[in-house]
Amino acid sequence: MTNRTIRIWTLIHKWTSLVCTVFMLLLCLTGLPLIFHDEIEALTAEDNLPHMPADTPLKTLDEAVASALATYPGERPLFLSFDEDRPVVNVTTGPAARSPVSQMHISAIDQRTTRILGDLNEDGGFMHVMLRLHVDMFAGLPGELFLGFMGFLLFVATLSGVVVYAPFMRKLSFGTVRAGRSTRLKWLDLHNMLGIVTLMWVAVVGLTGVINTLSVPLVAYWRANELAAMIAPYEGKPVPERFSSVDAAVRTAMEAAPGMRPQFIAFPGVRFSSNHHYAVWLKGATPATRQILTPALIDAETGAFTDMRSMPWYMLALRLSQPLHFGDYGGMPMKILWAVLDVLTIVILGSGLYLWVARRRGSQEHAATAPGFRSDAREAAE
């Protein structure tokens, strides 16, 4: 590459790195405990599910919803989700269909007795703070989109770093760290080596993070196009005054999709449904298909099946990116690998800041010995 080309890529790498590094450090530090979110919750949560015979019959979903509504009079059901490992359903209620999160109540309900086991509202605690900092920095959708842009800059910084340093690293064996030279040169070698080692992981986690920040606009686009086409015959109809059986809606959806099982139910009026339907979101029963969700729309007034369509590619990408971002595909071994790579990325980001500060401090000395263009990459090759 010519000196002019290297200058351009160096400037891209320098400024994209400087703009995003502090925010990426925040995301890496908060993301580390979030990788083990389920395990930490299991250690800190009290298991208050009473022991009962395995063949104890389950109450209906309608009874579980009624139990939640009796606890919060004047509210209406918004969502119902299923616990994969226990006979527990989580019912979300709120004063209106589009209630802000701060006004919602999430009740964990024993499906054998309809007794409320606990309130799952995450309004405080260490993990809640980590999650909010990681998702939107307590700034809502603007915060999400801002962090998505920072993730994009990280991807550009990673790509430009490879372009800038690759030609000069040909003179060194892979993994060489010249510990006998200056401290700055040693950290430069470590920065370069760890950057190459974690290259694919940083690219994957960065891009899946960017996709996750687009959740709200992607769902809005899905509602305006796919969902609108599914509910066209119901256009203009108001939200039913009384809802039909939730249990019946789930049975109808499962009959329309044999071999699938419900992940969650969105009640009429919420973001993942229409004003007139239950949206029963079904997942596959195998490890390969359980991340792929398919919504079945059930008329909330009559209980009749309306439509069911596979998710478009952009919603499928959103769905698949969420567990990949936190390493949820491969159990504990993958989570440990994700944590190690996260720590290495923190070292890369911290060393990048150190190299920039150290170079600024020594700029006058370098100017005396290298007039014109001189980059960290060229110094590393000397």
Side-chain angles (χ1 to χ4, degrees), residues 218-300:
L218 287 179
V219 171
Y221 184 79
W222 172 77
R223 284 182 58 86
N225 292 273
E226 300 290 330
L227 183 61
M230 295 170 71
I231 63 173
Y234 292 82
E235 186 176 359
K237 285 192 175 183
V239 177
E241 293 184 5
R242 301 184 68 179
F243 299 157
S244 61
S245 168
V246 180
D247 265 298
V250 172
R251 287 195 300 269
T252 300
M254 293 180 70
E255 289 171 1
M260 302 186 77
R261 55 188 182 184
Q263 171 83 352
F264 73 94
I265 302 166
F267 284 75
V270 304
R271 192 162 65 102
F272 290 93
S273 185
S274 76
N275 286 337
H276 203 81
H277 292 85
Y278 291 118
V280 181
W281 290 76
L282 302 164
K283 64 179 180 179
T286 66
T289 60
R290 65 184 180 184
Q291 299 296 341
I292 302 175
L293 297 184
T294 302
L297 296 184
I298 311 298
D299 190 314

Side-chain angles (χ1 to χ4, degrees), residues 18 20 50 145 147 163 165 228 234 311:
L18 287 176
C20 76
L145 298 178
L147 289 178
V163 174
Y165 289 110
Y234 292 82
M311 298 297 286

Side-chain angles (χ1 to χ4, degrees), residues 349-365:
L349 294 169
S351 61
L353 279 178
Y354 162 76
L355 291 169
W356 178 71
V357 172
R359 189 175 183 215
R360 283 179 61 86
R361 289 177 177 175
S363 59
Q364 291 184 350
E365 178 183 346

Side-chain angles (χ1 to χ4, degrees), residues 306-326:
T306 297
D307 199 355
M308 179 173 63
R309 299 186 185 183
S310 299
M311 298 297 286
W313 67 269
Y314 53 88
M315 291 295 288
L316 184 60
L318 175 63
R319 175 63 184 170
L320 295 177
S321 70
Q322 291 170 346
L324 181 59
H325 186 70
F326 290 107

Side-chain angles (χ1 to χ4, degrees), residues 340-382:
V340 171
L341 291 169
D342 186 282
V343 171
L344 292 179
T345 304
I346 292 173
V347 174
I348 294 169
L349 294 169
S351 61
L353 279 178
Y354 162 76
L355 291 169
W356 178 71
V357 172
R359 189 175 183 215
R360 283 179 61 86
R361 289 177 177 175
S363 59
Q364 291 184 350
E365 178 183 346
H366 286 303
T369 58
F373 172 69
R374 180 180 181 87
S375 69
D376 285 337
R378 178 161 293 180
E379 179 184 355
E382 291 178 350

Side-chain angles (χ1 to χ4, degrees), residues 55-72:
D55 59 352
T56 301
L58 301 180
K59 302 290 186 179
T60 66
L61 297 177
D62 298 286
E63 290 174 299
V65 172
S67 177
L69 294 177
T71 305
Y72 300 103

